[in-house]
Amino acid sequence: TLALGGITFGVRNIELNAAFSTIANGGKYIVPRLYSRVTRVTESKEPGDTGKEVQTEQLLLDNTDPEKERVLQKTTCWLLTNAMKDVLTKGTGMPANFTSTAIAGKTGTTEESNDVWFAGFSTNYTATVWAGYDNNTKLSKDEETLAMTIWRQIMSNIPANQKFTDFEQPSGLTTAYICRDTGLLAVDKYCKNTYNE
């Protein structure tokens, strides 16, 4: 309910996006900023007969290397990412899916479908989309996938997301085959219906 505004103040898109980008960054939180660099460009003429126009650029604000703080373990982030990949391939987030690169994300919907969210990331970018009406009008059936549709259209058109890269699994994780019938570790002789976890 926090992400959907179900308490007094709720969470803004920029805050939710920062949380998801922390997972995408392998557990490093970056305070959101609305700019990368701010510069002042001035034009002047070279002295002499040529009178050639010259532009000088003065850097005023630089946020290209923001401060990062580790708040989650890399292994935790990878497990969350791995689970959220399934949201896009076989879960509620399928309308947001595109296949040019690895992506992960999570849907959010209020009980009466007044608001819908989609927050997700690739190996390069994180984006969060909210859709709804300020007056709490219920969304139509077609509008219920609006946040996912917008997210997919934006993220799939970013050039860096058009070349496939996968999420890197960090060291420190152990995988095992699980028997689908019992939910226990698979024993080759007795369990043929397995999955890898």
Side-chain angles (χ1 to χ4, degrees), residues 30-185:
I30 300 171
V31 176
R33 294 283 186 265
L34 297 176
Y35 64 89
S36 296
R37 297 170 78 237
V38 177
T39 59
R40 175 186 291 141
V41 177
T42 54
E43 293 183 2
S44 59
K45 291 191 176 190
E46 279 186 346
D49 295 337
T50 61
K52 185 179 174 187
E53 295 255 340
V54 177
Q55 283 190 345
T56 36
E57 189 176 291
Q58 178 189 5
L59 182 63
L60 301 176
L61 299 169
D62 189 354
N63 194 42
T64 52
D65 189 20
E67 199 174 309
K68 299 172 184 174
E69 178 188 357
R70 176 158 302 284
V71 296
L72 291 170
Q73 293 180 9
K74 285 182 180 181
T75 51
T76 303
C77 294
W78 191 86
L79 291 170
L80 286 167
T81 299
N82 200 37
M84 288 190 287
K85 284 170 75 174
D86 286 350
V87 171
L88 287 133
T89 57
K90 45 190 164 187
T92 55
M94 287 172 63
N97 194 18
F98 61 93
T99 56
S100 57
T101 193
I103 51 175
K106 185 68 185 82
T107 59
T109 312
T110 55
E111 196 169 302
E112 298 296 320
S113 294
N114 290 351
D115 301 275
V116 289
W117 291 64
F118 189 81
F121 52 90
S122 67
T123 57
N124 299 296
Y125 291 94
T126 304
T128 304
V129 178
W130 169 85
Y133 293 98
D134 289 341
N135 64 0
N136 284 329
T137 300
K138 184 174 170 52
L139 297 173
S140 70
K141 201 70 179 159
D142 290 339
E143 292 172 322
E144 288 179 12
T145 60
L146 188 57
M148 291 182 274
T149 303
I150 293 169
W151 187 90
R152 185 188 71 242
Q153 288 176 351
I154 292 168
M155 291 289 278
S156 64
N157 282 297
I158 297 172
N161 287 338
Q162 292 169 5
K163 180 181 177 185
F164 190 87
T165 53
D166 205 351
F167 301 104
E168 267 187 58
Q169 181 177 334
S171 59
L173 291 168
T174 304
T175 60
Y177 283 94
I178 308 295
C179 179
R180 289 184 187 275
D181 299 325
T182 65
L184 302 173
L185 287 174

